Amino acid sequence: MGLINYLILAIDHTGYRGWIYQGWIVVVYIVVAVFNLFWRRHYGYKWFRTLLITLAHLLSFDLFLMFVGWALTGFDTFGVKDYVAGCLFVPLFAMLFGKVFKDDWRKMLDFMTPGYMLALVIIKISCCFAGCCFSFPMAHGMWNPIFEQYLFPLQIVEGMVALLLTFVLMHIARKQDFRVTGNLYAWLLILYGSTRFFLEFARVNVKVAAGISVYGFWALATLLVGIIWLIADRRRVRKLAEAETETEIEAEETQD
């Protein structure tokens, strides 16, 4: 923790903490792009298309988060970003890029899902030296350059949780034999929504109702949409399987 605090203070003393925080998104893009270059073999994408899809998704998501953050501050502070506020809209980006790139949007979404969670891991590093996503005071905690005091290192905890969820999503994809279903992102919504809801209680945010912040309600909405999506998708798959079975039975009866 001492080394982390030293780095935070060193970055703060440069006077460019805000610029570094905004520019850190380049690091996020590079890390996710490198990951996707290895991950692409499971989905049959070539390297150029992989980089194109990655850039399009991350750039549109980042710009959208900046707008949402701006709106949530009453259009007062531009550049504020919160991951959970934009997660529900990612499938819309996938549908749009599916038409633009003439690709199956479900395939692109399945492909990008672990990368979205990995991006959060890298983002949390910048949150440490930026001082955002702050928590309650704690002796021998992590130095916060905004409040100039030691706080609970929630950013590190959130980053570790996001890393764990990245591996969980990769495991789910492998268990599904990398079949294109589109429901891998539903699992992201469920996993991230549920963990973020509980982590939100450790954040020092304004509570709007029942001790829950605005972002806490976003997390609940994310969780709910993920559950509904997964249930609806499984029903769709079951109906398709039943329809195929009926078709096979009818074909056998016709032959008889």
Side-chain angles (χ1 to χ4, degrees):
M1 188 60 69
L3 177 59
I4 295 174
N5 286 334
Y6 175 79
L7 291 173
I8 293 172
L9 287 168
I11 292 172
D12 189 39
H13 287 159
T14 65
Y16 296 103
R17 174 165 51 88
W19 287 102
I20 295 173
Y21 172 70
Q22 296 298 340
W24 188 259
I25 196 67
V26 176
V27 179
V28 176
Y29 289 6
I30 292 173
V31 172
V32 176
V34 171
F35 169 81
N36 281 347
L37 285 173
F38 288 95
W39 190 245
R40 67 187 175 93
R41 62 189 177 86
H42 301 298
Y43 295 89
Y45 283 127
K46 295 185 177 180
W47 71 268
F48 180 76
R49 195 169 186 83
T50 294
L51 296 178
L52 188 62
I53 291 173
T54 302
L55 178 62
H57 272 260
L58 293 183
L59 182 60
S60 59
F61 185 57
D62 187 49
L63 293 174
F64 182 76
L65 285 182
M66 292 179 70
F67 177 80
V68 171
W70 186 36
L72 289 174
T73 61
F75 300 101
D76 179 59
T77 305
F78 186 73
V80 177
K81 294 177 284 187
D82 200 287
Y83 219 75
V84 70
C87 281
L88 293 174
F89 301 91
V90 168
L92 298 180
F93 302 147
M95 292 178 186
L96 173 62
F97 293 131
K99 293 183 178 180
V100 173
F101 298 144
K102 296 181 180 179
D103 199 348
D104 184 349
W105 70 270
R106 292 181 177 85
K107 179 181 177 181
M108 282 198 300
L109 194 57
D110 282 347
F111 168 65
M112 281 296 302
T113 294
Y116 271 115
M117 194 50 55
L118 179 61
L120 185 59
V121 178
I122 311 304
I123 288 171
K124 286 302 165 183
I125 298 174
S126 66
C127 292
C128 290
F129 59 73
C132 59
C133 308
F134 46 84
S135 187
F136 51 83
M138 175 184 175
H140 309 296
M142 188 168 65
W143 180 256
N144 187 285
I146 297 177
F147 297 97
E148 297 186 345
Q149 60 178 314
Y150 294 101
L151 304 179
F152 177 75
L154 183 61
Q155 299 93 329
I156 296 176
V157 174
E158 289 187 339
M160 292 174 64
V161 171
L163 182 60
L164 176 61
L165 296 187
T166 302
F167 287 120
V168 171
L169 291 168
M170 292 171 65
H171 175 69
I172 293 173
R174 288 192 177 96
K175 287 202 69 174
Q176 294 179 343
D177 295 323
F178 303 101
R179 293 192 308 274
V180 176
T181 62
N183 66 20
L184 187 60
Y185 193 78
W187 280 109
L188 181 149
L189 295 177
I190 292 171
L191 294 169
Y192 178 53
S194 57
T195 54
R196 175 58 189 272
F197 176 75
F198 289 107
L199 287 170
E200 189 63 27
F201 287 101
R203 288 195 181 200
V204 182
N205 286 330
V206 177
K207 312 302 180 183
V208 295
I212 303 174
S213 67
V214 172
Y215 300 112
F217 282 109
W218 274 106
L220 284 177
T222 299
L223 170 62
L224 182 61
V225 169
I227 292 173
I228 294 173
W229 182 345
L230 205 58
I231 292 173
D233 186 71
R234 289 187 174 182
R235 287 181 177 177
R236 179 184 64 85
V237 171
R238 186 169 61 249
K239 287 182 179 179
L240 287 174
E242 292 174 352
E244 289 179 359
T245 302
E246 290 178 358
T247 302
E248 291 175 358
I249 293 173
E250 290 177 357
E252 290 177 358
E253 291 177 347
T254 303
Q255 292 177 356
D256 293 340

